[in-house]
Amino acid sequence: MAEAYSIPHLSLKSFITFFLLLLLPLSCRTTNKPNVEGEALIEILHALDDSSHRITDWDSHFVSPCDSWSHITCRNGRVVTLSLPSNRFTGNLSPSIAKLKSLVSLDLRKNNLSGTLPDSLSSMLYLQNLNLADNYFNGSIPASWGQLPELKHLVVRGNQLTGSIPESLTNITGLMELDVSSNDLTGKIPQQLFSIQTFNFTDTHLTCGGNLQQPCVSSSSIPVAKRKSKVQVVVTAASLGAFSLLLLGAFFGYLFHRQHKFTDEIFFDVAGEDVREISFAQIRRFSLREMQLATDNFNESNIIGQGGYGKVYRGVLMDNTRVAVKRLMDYQSPGGEAAFLREVRLISIAVHKNLLRLIGFCTTSTEKILVYPFMQNLSVAYRLRDRKPGEQGLDWPTRKRIAFGTAHGLEYLHEHCNPKIIHRDMKAANILLNDEFEPVLGDFGLAKLMDTKVTHVTTQIRGTMGHIAPEYLSTGKSSEKTDVFGYGITLLELVTGQRAIDLCRLEEEEDVLLLDHIKKLLREKRLEDIVDQNLTTCNNIEVETILQVAMLCTQTSPEDRPKMAQVVSMLQGIGLAERWAEWEQLEQVRIQEFSLTSHKFIWAEDSTHHQEAIQLSQAR
């Protein structure tokens, strides 16, 4: 568990490395379809006709717009504000806007939008602020808008609207502002609308003003302008001049302090100004006090795991969000420092529903902390082998879902990120399970960025024995195919419930390595001995499919292993039969070669013994 959640201390050199990493062009695209709100926003943007390409980070391949899209804000994973003023849009407002069920504020003022106002807005039960001013909308104000129960501000001035003001708008009891000025509206204004705090009916053909009893604009809408005296102007100018000098002095003082700060101290103080120069998207920066309160001052009773870099605590934030707080203990460790930089870098940018999301971090001179969502069901390894009596295990449909979800997460890292990311520690212990037992791949402490044109990277061998690919173990060269190998071993863990290496199998004269053990059982067609005995029911065809994919993923030569995109297809049965037939043929050849080699060795050994016997006989 702690391995999936890993950390560190930051020197000047590492800060520079971190900063340079942030400047790298890094983009990730997931093949998963976005959620309903993401699809709706893409449809809205398409209808707005962004011919000037002002919005560049709305990507239909991302899982959720709340992860990184601009011009929106979210609450509890739902879009609550959409603000796109002054973007030179020339299209219209799509009815898909109604799919943003939690929208509170919509601002599209000062564009060149046209078309009619959509009736579909009437279904938005939480909408409070609607500003469509200074566009070219035509037609009438929809009467259905009177069904907006929470609407407080309705501004549609400066359009080409016609018809009358709907009587139904008087049903909106909380309406505080209504501005329909500078339109071609006609007819009588409903009497109740004059009691609104702020209203503006000017520059229209509506019945107000003149000799009528009701004004066309409320007093609160009239701007109040006061001329400043010469003395006020002089005082203001002098104040601004003095303030500018103070700012200039503070700026140079800051530069001097910053230079000496990095000379004298070897940590990156995220509480300082430097971090504000770096965009961390929606990642939160927590204070140490917040972390202490969340974990009851890092109470030992809240520890849910411990790894090489520190402990992981169960915590609760002030807004009642449950989190896993990963606290680096040896903050001066170079390895821990590198892991911290790596996790913050990778997890903050790689966004996918099957990858662990980083909520935020906390760093001081003595603490390096990462904050993740709390995974109620801990890890796959825990549920397979380490759970307490009475705790829920993993049934076959859940195991199959874990296999698919993990494959999608790895495919995303390998084939939809630039530079691509190799995880390098793929195992059941690093797959966490959320409340719905959906898999979330964690622990990027050993991950590496790799240019898409590079076939491998050579590093010090790191990872977990039994999961490490043979070429990586022998040469130190890792690639996405090393992840594929680790994934194949993970599939075997899912099917068997066993560890990748188990010395207990020696007592039964079986292979210590799970891979070799399963190969032997497959040759002997002992499927019933492969499947986890804790599984009460399972689909034999699906089990065979996953076992076949596992064997293809764990082939000795990395060139023979499939890519993760192919793995995803084969899990669905696409292209599996052909590759499995090839694997069986190669396996037969390997068995024959091994058998022949073994016979030669035995024959040579027997021949030697026979010659020795003759010599002994002659000696007598």
Side-chain angles (χ1 to χ4, degrees):
M1 176 65 181
E3 293 172 341
Y5 282 108
S6 287
I7 335 185
H9 177 74
L10 302 162
S11 64
L12 173 59
K13 180 180 178 181
S14 295
F15 165 71
I16 294 173
T17 303
F18 186 34
F19 185 77
L20 290 176
L21 279 173
L22 287 170
L23 296 179
L24 284 174
L26 185 70
S27 62
C28 297
R29 297 175 184 271
T30 175
T31 56
N32 283 34
K33 293 182 179 180
N35 60 13
V36 174
E37 293 193 326
E39 291 175 344
L41 286 168
I42 293 297
E43 292 169 2
I44 292 166
L45 185 60
H46 180 72
L48 292 176
D49 190 10
D50 183 19
S51 56
S52 300
H53 304 291
R54 304 293 294 273
I55 312 300
T56 59
D57 61 346
W58 286 21
D59 193 325
S60 60
H61 296 284
F62 277 91
V63 176
S64 169
C66 294
D67 293 322
S68 59
W69 293 12
S70 62
H71 301 281
I72 68 169
T73 57
C74 295
R75 185 182 301 126
N76 298 325
R78 305 299 299 271
V79 178
V80 293
T81 70
L82 174 57
S83 181
L84 293 167
S86 306
N87 277 289
R88 299 198 292 272
F89 295 137
T90 57
N92 52 66
L93 180 55
S94 170
S96 296
I97 190 69
K99 296 179 181 179
L100 304 180
K101 299 295 185 181
S102 300
L103 198 66
V104 173
S105 178
L106 174 61
D107 186 357
L108 292 172
R109 69 183 187 276
K110 295 184 179 179
N111 284 289
N112 297 309
L113 300 175
S114 58
T116 59
L117 301 176
D119 279 297
S120 56
L121 281 173
S122 61
S123 64
M124 307 184 73
L125 302 180
Y126 302 102
L127 190 63
Q128 296 182 16
N129 306 305
L130 178 57
N131 195 330
L132 305 176
D134 302 316
N135 282 285
Y136 295 95
F137 286 113
N138 53 53
S140 60
I141 299 174
S144 60
W145 285 12
Q147 301 172 20
L148 293 168
E150 299 296 327
L151 193 63
K152 292 180 173 58
H153 304 274
L154 175 57
V155 181
V156 291
R157 69 169 178 270
N159 282 282
Q160 298 175 352
L161 300 176
T162 57
S164 59
I165 296 179
E167 186 78 27
S168 60
L169 294 187
T170 61
N171 297 329
I172 308 175
T173 56
L175 194 61
M176 300 171 57
E177 179 184 12
L178 177 62
D179 189 347
V180 297
S181 59
S182 302
N183 279 287
D184 292 327
L185 296 170
T186 57
K188 184 179 179 181
I189 302 170
Q191 188 66 28
Q192 294 94 321
L193 297 182
F194 289 106
S195 61
I196 293 176
Q197 179 179 336
T198 302
F199 60 82
N200 192 343
F201 306 124
T202 61
D203 196 17
T204 65
H205 304 292
L206 294 166
T207 54
C208 63
N211 297 324
L212 300 174
Q213 295 181 349
Q214 300 293 353
C216 288
V217 60
S218 61
S219 57
S220 57
S221 298
I222 302 174
V224 179
K226 295 183 179 179
R227 297 182 59 185
K228 294 184 177 180
S229 66
K230 292 182 178 180
V231 175
Q232 287 178 306
V233 173
V234 171
V235 170
T236 302
S239 298
L240 288 173
F243 183 65
S244 299
L245 288 174
L246 285 173
L247 281 179
L248 191 61
F251 174 72
F252 284 109
Y254 164 72
L255 290 179
F256 176 82
H257 171 70
R258 179 180 176 184
Q259 179 179 359
H260 286 271
K261 178 177 182 177
F262 286 125
T263 302
D264 299 334
E265 300 179 358
I266 59 171
F267 66 91
F268 174 37
D269 183 7
V270 179
E273 294 294 326
D274 304 278
V275 75
R276 297 173 191 173
E277 299 174 6
I278 302 171
S279 173
F280 283 92
Q282 296 190 22
I283 297 178
R284 295 175 59 183
R285 176 173 58 83
F286 295 98
S287 67
L288 180 58
R289 180 58 179 161
E290 287 178 293
M291 295 294 91
Q292 291 171 333
L293 290 173
T295 60
D296 192 16
N297 201 21
F298 300 105
N299 194 306
E300 295 290 308
S301 64
N302 285 325
I303 293 177
I304 54 177
Q306 186 168 356
Y309 293 118
K311 298 178 180 179
V312 182
Y313 298 81
R314 180 187 293 105
V316 181
L317 301 179
M318 295 298 291
D319 61 359
N320 291 323
T321 300
R322 301 176 69 194
V323 292
V325 178
K326 188 175 186 179
R327 185 189 191 194
L328 175 71
M329 301 302 292
D330 183 12
Y331 60 88
Q332 292 182 340
S333 164
E337 178 180 340
F340 181 81
L341 292 172
R342 191 178 298 114
E343 288 210 35
V344 171
R345 170 64 178 152
L346 299 184
I347 302 180
S348 63
I349 297 178
V351 180
H352 188 279
K353 71 176 184 179
N354 295 118
L355 298 180
L356 186 63
R357 177 174 61 88
L358 181 65
I359 293 177
F361 60 97
C362 167
T363 173
T364 70
S365 59
T366 58
E367 296 281 358
K368 299 293 177 288
I369 298 171
L370 295 172
V371 183
Y372 297 99
F374 177 71
M375 294 294 165
Q376 175 70 34
N377 293 308
L378 305 181
S379 71
V380 170
Y382 176 85
R383 291 289 163 181
L384 286 175
R385 300 183 289 267
D386 305 321
R387 66 185 186 278
K388 297 176 183 178
E391 287 188 326
Q392 182 179 347
L394 301 175
D395 59 16
W396 178 248
T398 302
R399 298 189 195 206
K400 188 176 70 169
R401 191 164 65 246
I402 291 168
F404 274 82
T406 306
H408 282 297
L410 281 176
E411 179 196 10
Y412 168 84
L413 293 176
H414 292 176
E415 303 183 28
H416 301 280
C417 287
N418 185 18
K420 56 188 172 184
I421 299 171
I422 52 176
H423 188 275
R424 295 205 304 159
D425 199 15
M426 185 63 244
K427 58 184 179 181
N430 286 339
I431 304 173
L432 305 179
L433 298 169
N434 64 16
D435 292 351
E436 289 77 35
F437 282 87
E438 291 290 340
V440 179
L441 180 58
D443 195 350
F444 288 78
L446 298 182
K448 284 287 185 184
L449 291 172
M450 195 167 78
D451 191 280
T452 52
K453 298 178 182 178
V454 177
T455 58
H456 66 267
V457 292
T458 303
T459 63
Q460 180 183 359
I461 298 171
R462 301 287 298 277
T464 305
M465 292 303 296
H467 297 263
I468 301 176
E471 76 279 2
Y472 183 33
L473 194 60
S474 61
T475 66
K477 294 180 178 180
S478 61
S479 67
E480 65 266 32
K481 293 301 182 69
T482 60
D483 279 354
V484 174
F485 183 91
Y487 173 77
I489 299 297
T490 303
L491 290 182
L492 297 182
E493 290 185 274
L494 283 170
V495 173
T496 66
Q498 300 180 38
R499 301 180 187 278
I501 294 181
D502 191 350
L503 297 178
C504 294
R505 282 193 285 267
L506 281 175
E507 300 175 1
E508 302 173 3
E509 298 182 355
E510 297 287 357
D511 294 293
V512 172
L513 290 176
L514 180 60
L515 177 58
D516 293 337
H517 179 58
I518 298 303
K519 283 184 177 180
K520 176 186 175 183
L521 295 178
L522 282 175
R523 287 195 298 269
E524 297 172 358
K525 301 187 183 301
R526 294 164 54 189
L527 184 63
E528 68 280 359
D529 293 330
I530 295 176
V531 177
D532 189 351
Q533 299 302 308
N534 292 316
L535 280 172
T536 55
T537 58
C538 64
N539 185 312
N540 287 340
I541 296 177
E542 293 176 346
V543 169
E544 289 181 1
T545 295
I546 287 183
L547 285 173
Q548 289 174 6
V549 172
M551 292 298 103
L552 293 172
C553 289
T554 53
Q555 295 180 86
T556 303
S557 173
E559 290 78 14
D560 293 337
R561 297 173 206 148
K563 293 183 177 181
M564 285 310 302
Q566 295 171 318
V567 169
V568 171
S569 297
M570 288 191 297
L571 286 172
Q572 299 169 340
I574 303 172
L576 177 59
E578 298 84 353
R579 294 197 69 149
W580 180 247
E582 294 175 4
W583 182 89
E584 286 187 308
Q585 291 177 358
L586 289 173
E587 190 67 11
Q588 286 296 325
V589 172
R590 283 192 288 265
I591 292 172
Q592 291 173 4
E593 290 177 348
F594 177 78
S595 177
L596 183 60
T597 303
S598 299
H599 282 304
K600 286 182 178 179
F601 175 77
I602 294 171
W603 179 87
E605 198 173 44
D606 289 343
S607 177
T608 302
H609 286 312
H610 182 65
Q611 291 177 7
E612 288 176 351
I614 293 174
Q615 290 173 358
L616 288 172
S617 175
Q618 290 174 345
R620 285 202 288 279

